[in-house]
Amino acid sequence: MMAIIVRLDMMLALRKMKAKDLAEQIGITEQNVSLLRQGKVKGVRFETLDRICAVLDCKPGDILDREE
């Protein structure tokens, strides 16, 4: 079974940023950021992923990983 691992918590910690601040900067609710951090979403829009990467100065692969 494969699983996509969300490493948003790690990137937030590395950038010393709170989820609330990220949510405000990318224009989604804090609750949606929380669901994404927990991996409880079925998908994420490329537009949202792009905004997250822009704010955190990272690449999608820094946030999403694949584990078998």
Side-chain angles (χ1 to χ4, degrees):
M1 182 176 146
M2 73 168 187
I4 300 298
I5 308 300
V6 180
R7 302 199 188 283
L8 186 53
D9 274 340
M10 182 182 72
M11 287 307 301
L12 285 168
L14 286 172
R15 301 298 188 253
K16 295 178 173 53
M17 181 180 283
K18 293 182 180 179
K20 177 182 176 185
D21 298 328
L22 177 65
E24 288 174 5
Q25 291 186 47
I26 64 174
I28 67 174
T29 66
E30 193 175 345
Q31 182 179 7
N32 282 340
V33 170
S34 178
L35 290 171
L36 181 58
R37 287 170 56 202
Q38 297 171 44
K40 293 186 178 179
V41 294
K42 291 184 180 181
V44 60
R45 291 181 178 181
F46 285 147
E47 181 181 349
T48 303
L49 185 58
D50 183 52
R51 285 190 206 139
I52 291 170
C53 289
V55 170
L56 295 178
D57 188 29
C58 66
K59 297 185 184 223
D62 297 326
I63 297 171
L64 300 174
D65 200 0
R66 180 176 176 267
E67 198 172 83
E68 290 191 37

